């Protein structure tokens, strides 16, 4: 007779070792819990480990896009630029993992495939692809909001004889694009970062653009000698300001620029001369820096026209400039900032294909075939880079077989009912499962690190409370969950964020068949924190404790 070994037992299991999983481990450890982190990659970093494409960078300042919980870490770590590159963020997370001795509690190369709540034992059973099993009363999904790549299904993709690359799983050793004919599909944040860098290296670059981006020109620079030390000396004030700021980043970032626009005069009241002057003096920023664009679709369309004029002042070929002018509402997708994006299209080795008029028909062994009424062509390529986005917010947990009460599936629940959650932290029917920055949380429209730290600390306090009071389960109530999602929806109801023409990872519109619903919470992190704290102070109102 052989006795099957039982699951390895812990007080809490954390899935994912990116920004949030690392902090969850450290924080829960500090509360005296035995914690195991399960991570499918061979190292820490999460999305910042996989997305190592050329040009990858954060659009929030390094001193704010970093952990605030440890003064030692923020004093010891040296950022070299105002906004950090992917390699520097990856190195930072490795530094943190070592500094806090986190690795001993992380199982790497461990792919979680199923998580099942055992109602009798009041614990989660976690199964991995390698057949291991783990059990714990509390399960924390630190699986990321942008961790599941969306790879297109273009006919013939598999037949391409050259090299196919995906920005979301860029080769660790890099890719030599020197002198090669490179095609890039996708012009979201990733494409906009990648394209200027690839253009420098490639023999020829062809950009296949389905939706032109709205992107704000930005200067990212190395810190001047002594500058970082001065900032570090002000860290108490910097972190305090961040804490009070709606987007969790008080310094200039892609998000704070949008917030500042809200306070500007309306475009509709401006004279034609005022509008032209704004573009003449401030280019792209002048086209977009108006207060009514978020609420008035007509004003938004007028801004798009101005935007086209601003682009045409940079891009010398008029047809290319026109093709780069967006036709969807500004601000309905996540803001993008760039360094020299439009100037790239003035290079002799760069061609833009506007898929709105010349759509992709198929991938051939030799390149990409596009076709339009006016003609079709084959763009011959050695390399195709896909920068086609993510199944955001719900993607990671929907790909794990998560079973709650009565064996209900979380993936099926979200697929049929839409991405519902209470506070972005818990889903009714899935007791003791905490989701860090799930749907209905501020993360999508804020500094993820700041938003995530609040979540981890709230979860830590909640678990301590449950243990202290002898509760074995906590579960979101369906009504509280619905009220929360309605509250989140009401905030954006009158904005372009929910305009039917907007297909974005914010609302699931970028994923074929995904139930559409705006997934962010946009009243700001301070208000979100206030509500979370109030709920906790009312003995976790809206949750059932048993
Ligand atoms: P995004 O912002 O979702 O952009 C994906 C881009 O890929 C976007 O331009 C898409 O066009 C395009 N796309 C997707 N599928 C296709 C196909 N089949 N054919 C052509 N073009 C396609 O993802 P990113 O990775 O750039 O950025 C995601 C977030 O990461 C970003 O917001 C930051 O938070 C970091 P579409 O717009 O759908 O027409």
């Amino acid at each position: 007779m052989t006795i099957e070994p039982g699951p390895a037992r812990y007080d809490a299991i954390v899935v994912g070792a990116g920004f949030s999983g690392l902090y969850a481990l450290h924080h829960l450890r500090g509360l005296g819990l035995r914690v195991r982190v399960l991570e499918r990659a061979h190292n820490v970093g999460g999305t910042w480990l996989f997305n190592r494409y050329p040009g990858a960078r954060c659009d929030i300042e390094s001193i704010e896009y970093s952990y605030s919980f440890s003064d030692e870490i923020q004093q010891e770590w040296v950022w070299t630029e105002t906004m950090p590159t992917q390699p520097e963020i990856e190195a930072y997370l490795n530094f943190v993992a070592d500094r806090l001795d986190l690795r001993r509690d992380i199982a790497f190369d461990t792919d979680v495939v199923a998580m099942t709540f055992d109602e009798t034992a009041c614990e989660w059973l976690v199964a991995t692809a390698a057949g291991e099993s783990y059990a714990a009363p509390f399960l924390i999904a630190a699986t990321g909001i942008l961790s599941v790549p969306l790879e297109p299904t273009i006919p013939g993709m598999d037949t391409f004889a050259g090299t196919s690359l995906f920005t979301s799983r860029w080769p660790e050793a890099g890719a030599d694009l020197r002198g090669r004919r490179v095609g890039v599909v996708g012009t979201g944040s990733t494409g906009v970062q990648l394209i200027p860098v690839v253009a420098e290296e490639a023999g020829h670059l062809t950009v296949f653009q389905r939706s032109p981006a709205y992107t704000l020109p930005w200067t990212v620079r190395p810190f001047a000698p002594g500058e970082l030390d001065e900032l570090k000396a002000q860290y108490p004030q910097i972190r305090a300001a961040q804490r009070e700021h709606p987007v969790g980043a008080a310094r200039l970032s892609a998000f704070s620029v949008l917030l500042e626009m809200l306070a500007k005069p309306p475009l509709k009241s401006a004279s034609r001369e005022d509008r032209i002057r704004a573009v003449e003096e401030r280019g792209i920023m002048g086209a977009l820096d108006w207060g009514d664009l978020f609420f008035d679709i007509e004003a938004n369309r007028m801004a798009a026209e101005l935007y086209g004029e601003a682009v045409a002042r940079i891009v010398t070929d008029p047809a290319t400039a026109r093709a780069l002018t967006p036709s969807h509402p500004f601000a309905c997708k996540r803001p993008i900032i760039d360094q020299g994006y439009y100037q790239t299209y003035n290079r002799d080795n760069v061609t833009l294909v506007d898929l709105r008029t010349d759509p992709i028909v198929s991938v051939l062994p030799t390149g990409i075939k596009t076709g339009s009424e006016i003609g079709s062509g084959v763009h011959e390529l050695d390399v195709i880079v896909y920068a086609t986005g993510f199944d955001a917010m719900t993607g990671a947990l929907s790909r794990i077989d998560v079973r709650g009460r009565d064996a209900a599936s979380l993936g099926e629940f979200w697929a049929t009912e839409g991405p519902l959650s209470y506070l972005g932290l818990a889903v009714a029917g899935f007791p003791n499962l905490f989701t860090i920055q799930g749907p209905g949380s501020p993360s999508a429209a804020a500094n993820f690190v700041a938003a995530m730290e609040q979540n981890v600390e709230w979860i830590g306090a909640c678990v301590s409370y449950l243990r202290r009071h002898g509760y074995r389960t906590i579960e979101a109530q369906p009504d509280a969950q619905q009220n929360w999602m309605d509250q989140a929806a009401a905030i954006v109801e009158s904005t372009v964020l929910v305009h039917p023409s907007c297909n974005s990872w914010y609302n699931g519109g970028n994923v074929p068949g995904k139930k559409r619903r705006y997934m962010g919470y946009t009243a700001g992190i301070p208000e979100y924190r206030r509500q979370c704290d109030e709920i906790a102070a009312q003995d976790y109102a809206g949750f059932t404790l048993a």
Side-chain angles (χ1 to χ4, degrees):
M1 193 178 83
T2 53
I3 298 171
E4 289 289 322
R9 290 206 136 72
Y10 295 90
D11 296 326
I13 289 169
V14 175
V15 183
F19 258 107
S20 42
L22 294 180
Y23 184 37
L25 167 57
H26 174 69
H27 187 69
L28 295 178
R29 218 193 231 175
L31 296 174
L33 273 71
R34 284 185 62 246
V35 185
R36 192 74 178 157
V37 178
L38 308 178
E39 166 58 57
R40 84 186 135 110
H42 63 283
N43 202 353
V44 300
T47 207
W48 287 111
L49 174 64
F50 291 105
N51 286 270
R52 43 161 73 100
Y53 59 87
R57 184 187 286 280
C58 183
D59 56 8
I60 296 170
E61 291 203 13
S62 44
I63 55 161
E64 294 191 320
Y65 191 81
S66 47
Y67 293 117
S68 73
F69 66 81
S70 160
D71 193 46
E72 289 79 23
I73 285 175
Q74 66 189 13
Q75 293 301 333
E76 285 171 28
W77 178 254
V78 179
W79 295 109
T80 63
E81 293 182 82
T82 50
M83 287 181 173
T85 59
Q86 176 274 331
E88 201 155 279
I89 298 174
E90 190 188 331
Y92 167 75
L93 290 172
N94 275 277
F95 165 79
V96 172
D98 292 333
R99 182 71 174 73
L100 300 176
D101 190 19
L102 298 178
R103 292 183 202 275
R104 67 183 155 89
D105 287 326
I106 305 174
F108 291 106
D109 298 308
T110 301
D111 199 3
V112 171
V113 291
M115 319 198 302
T116 310
F117 187 66
D118 178 337
E119 293 183 52
T120 312
C122 292
E123 68 179 8
W124 280 93
L125 291 170
V126 177
T128 71
E132 301 136 333
S133 61
Y134 297 82
F138 300 105
L139 184 54
I140 291 119
T143 38
I145 63 169
L146 291 159
S147 52
V148 175
L150 202 59
E151 294 177 2
T153 47
I154 303 170
M157 265 175 78
D158 294 346
T159 68
F160 184 53
T163 309
S164 299
L165 295 172
F166 297 83
T167 50
S168 49
R169 46 186 170 96
W170 199 261
E172 193 165 357
D176 186 3
L177 303 177
R178 274 174 305 178
R180 306 186 77 190
R181 296 168 302 172
V182 181
V184 171
V185 182
T187 50
S189 303
T190 301
V192 166
Q193 288 187 336
L194 173 89
I195 285 163
V197 183
V198 171
E200 300 264 342
E201 202 180 329
H204 193 89
L205 168 63
T206 308
V207 177
F208 297 87
Q209 168 199 264
R210 190 164 71 182
S211 300
Y214 289 97
T215 168
L216 309 174
W218 210 270
T219 305
V220 178
R221 57 175 180 81
F223 283 120
E227 187 181 356
L228 182 65
D229 291 335
E230 272 177 38
L231 289 168
K232 283 182 175 179
Q234 296 161 30
Y235 247 134
Q237 298 90 305
I238 290 171
R239 295 300 190 190
Q242 235 185 303
R243 215 178 138 76
E244 296 310 313
H245 197 279
V247 300
R251 301 165 68 82
L252 208 52
S253 70
F255 292 118
S256 62
V257 168
L258 284 199
L259 270 191
E260 285 169 18
M261 285 174 184
L262 284 170
K264 298 291 164 60
L267 177 56
K268 269 186 155 171
S269 323
S271 66
R272 174 77 189 151
E273 291 72 40
D274 287 344
R275 294 172 203 170
I276 296 298
R277 192 174 327 113
V279 172
E280 273 170 5
E281 288 173 2
R282 302 178 55 222
I284 280 170
M285 272 310 290
L288 299 175
D289 208 6
W290 307 93
D292 48 355
L293 312 190
F294 298 87
F295 307 100
D296 186 335
I297 195 70
E298 196 42 45
N300 202 298
R301 289 206 181 97
M302 288 160 60
E305 247 174 68
L306 277 184
Y307 189 88
E309 291 182 31
V311 171
R313 285 166 191 267
I314 308 171
V315 176
T316 48
D317 174 49
T320 305
R322 265 196 308 281
L324 284 165
T325 305
S327 40
H328 64 274
F330 167 65
C332 86
K333 299 189 183 198
R334 192 188 181 287
I336 304 180
I337 63 175
D338 71 270
Q339 297 173 78
Y341 179 64
Y342 289 118
Q343 286 80 355
T344 301
Y345 291 94
N346 291 336
R347 296 174 63 104
D348 292 338
N349 70 334
V350 177
T351 309
L352 178 67
V353 178
D354 186 352
L355 303 180
R356 291 174 299 183
T357 54
D358 193 13
I360 293 179
V361 176
S362 61
V363 177
L364 305 174
T366 53
I368 292 182
K369 180 175 163 59
T370 59
S372 64
E373 283 175 12
I374 42 167
S376 63
V378 176
H379 305 271
E380 307 239 321
L381 302 166
D382 303 312
V383 180
I384 302 177
V385 181
Y386 296 95
T388 42
F390 298 88
D391 181 356
M393 308 298 290
T394 56
L397 283 178
S398 296
R399 278 162 181 76
I400 297 173
D401 188 16
V402 183
R403 301 280 166 172
R405 269 195 207 290
D406 304 322
S409 151
L410 181 57
E412 279 168 28
F413 173 70
W414 276 340
T416 51
E417 302 300 321
L420 305 182
S421 164
Y422 186 32
L423 304 170
L425 280 161
V427 182
F430 299 85
N432 294 13
L433 169 63
F434 295 99
T435 56
I436 297 179
Q437 296 297 308
S441 70
S443 59
N447 176 353
F448 179 85
V449 181
M452 168 284 291
E453 282 190 335
Q454 181 275 346
N455 265 196
V456 168
E457 286 157 20
W458 190 93
I459 292 167
C462 178
V463 169
S464 299
Y465 178 95
L466 297 173
R467 286 160 63 101
R468 213 167 45 243
H469 290 84
Y471 290 117
R472 295 188 71 194
T473 59
I474 180 166
E475 183 177 352
Q477 295 165 3
D479 287 357
Q481 173 170 282
Q482 192 59 50
N483 288 343
W484 178 257
M485 295 310 294
D486 291 348
Q487 197 192 126
I491 304 166
V492 290
E493 200 172 43
S494 58
T495 72
V496 296
L497 285 163
V498 292
H499 194 268
S501 66
C502 178
N503 289 324
S504 150
W505 66 259
Y506 277 176
N507 58 27
N510 66 328
V511 182
K514 187 164 176 174
K515 195 105 176 169
R516 214 180 148 100
R517 182 178 194 117
Y518 182 74
M519 290 185 276
Y521 174 83
T522 48
I525 300 177
E527 171 57 17
Y528 174 81
R529 182 188 303 113
R530 190 193 65 72
Q531 295 211 41
C532 287
D533 289 349
E534 198 173 285
I535 285 164
Q538 292 164 0
D539 296 328
Y540 295 89
F543 288 95
T544 301
L545 278 50

